[in-house]
Amino acid sequence: MNWNYPFDTTEYLFIFFFILVYVAYIIRTVRVARQLQTTARTLIIKLFLRSITFALLIISLLGPSFGETDREIQAKGKDIFLVVDLSKSMDAADVTPSRLEKVKFELNRFVQNERSNRIGIVIFSNDAFIHVPLTYDRAALELFIQSLQTDLLPTSGTNICGALELAFSKLMNAADPTGRSKMMVIFTDGENGSACSNTLYNNIRRFGVGVYSVAVGTKIGISIQQNGKQLMDENGKLVISKMDETFLKGLAAATRGSYYELNNTKNDVHKLITNIDQAEGTLVDSRTVTVVSNKYYYFLGAALILILLDVLITIGTFRL
């Protein structure tokens, strides 16, 4: 028999107080019986029951384990690229405190929930760049997530297709002899997005790359601040940035992916994490381990039965 917990100071204290209290109980009961000129023979039975009950409770507290079984443990991994829009429209404040700041917060939460997967970051505006290659290093990912700013890239704009092509290329060329499952999670408002080539869509579907589109912002939109002033277009009109739901839903449909929203009233990131966790991963490690089962409940059940018997047995000290 094995024990989950060692016999420690706590158990010795329990035993000491049990003996102390029970000795006081015996002395008191015997004294009362003598004063009433009766016997307390039942006391011996109760002493026997309570001692066994106490021993069973101590054993169950220590967590006895016996009986070994072989169990197979499998590790399934995924390669995930987070594709983040750094165009100027991501500074819009229709999502508090801004679209990009909200994305950064959710990216940290996402990274913490995907510890068994390799994660990389692609950033884009008009052009796309690898911000973080695929890695297990959560500390590095969190550091680079905090560095995301819309002025990180030299030009503004929204070229989602270029970012998808870069992420797809890196996923396909990753040093990955086991052929891990591959996914892309896109955080963008979708504004000014244009349809990607059929070749890209076909390749994504052909190689089974999972695409998860997260629409950031609102359909009503809001003006964009630049240098403390509201941004105007070439005709002097106020620029209103809106989330392009139609484009992003079309992107999800074309890639057989999923669509989510992120704003002040709707946050689908928890649903996103759940769906990615439930998605089939590729087996990267498998091993068989021998485990033992904690059988404390047998001893606890026996102790409860003895407690019930103890309640039913009474000590008579009165004689008619």
Side-chain angles (χ1 to χ4, degrees), residues 81 83 122 130 162-172 184:
F81 260 114
V83 183
V122 170
I130 297 294
L164 293 181
E165 289 175 354
L166 177 60
F168 176 80
S169 173
K170 294 300 180 180
L171 285 171
M172 291 298 104
M184 293 184 284

Side-chain angles (χ1 to χ4, degrees), residues 227-264:
N227 298 325
K229 298 180 180 180
Q230 291 181 323
L231 185 63
M232 301 290 182
D233 63 13
E234 297 176 352
N235 300 320
K237 294 183 179 180
L238 187 66
V239 174
I240 302 296
S241 175
K242 301 179 182 179
M243 178 261 287
D244 193 339
E245 176 187 33
T246 302
F247 168 73
L248 292 174
K249 283 186 174 179
L251 174 64
T255 57
R256 296 176 185 169
S258 303
Y259 172 82
Y260 309 88
E261 290 186 12
L262 177 60
N263 50 55
N264 290 337

Side-chain angles (χ1 to χ4, degrees), residues 23 116 124 196 232 237:
V23 168
S116 62
F124 73 96
C196 303
M232 301 290 182
K237 294 183 179 180

Side-chain angles (χ1 to χ4, degrees), residues 48-106:
F48 178 74
L49 287 176
R50 291 177 182 177
S51 299
I52 295 178
T53 300
F54 182 75
L56 290 173
L57 290 174
I58 290 292
I59 292 174
S60 65
L61 184 65
L62 295 176
S65 300
F66 51 86
E68 297 181 349
T69 58
D70 291 334
R71 183 175 299 173
E72 184 180 20
I73 298 179
Q74 295 181 344
K76 294 185 176 181
K78 308 177 183 77
D79 283 346
I80 305 172
F81 260 114
L82 303 175
V83 183
V84 184
D85 185 355
L86 293 187
S87 61
K88 188 62 182 176
S89 61
M90 291 297 288
D91 282 333
D94 54 349
V95 180
T96 306
S98 72
R99 294 175 184 173
L100 182 56
E101 290 302 318
K102 182 64 173 177
V103 167
K104 288 163 65 175
F105 176 82
E106 297 299 341

Side-chain angles (χ1 to χ4, degrees), residues 13-27:
L13 286 175
F14 280 150
I15 293 173
F16 173 76
F17 282 114
F18 173 79
I19 294 174
L20 184 66
V21 172
Y22 209 80
V23 168
Y25 167 75
I26 292 174
I27 294 173

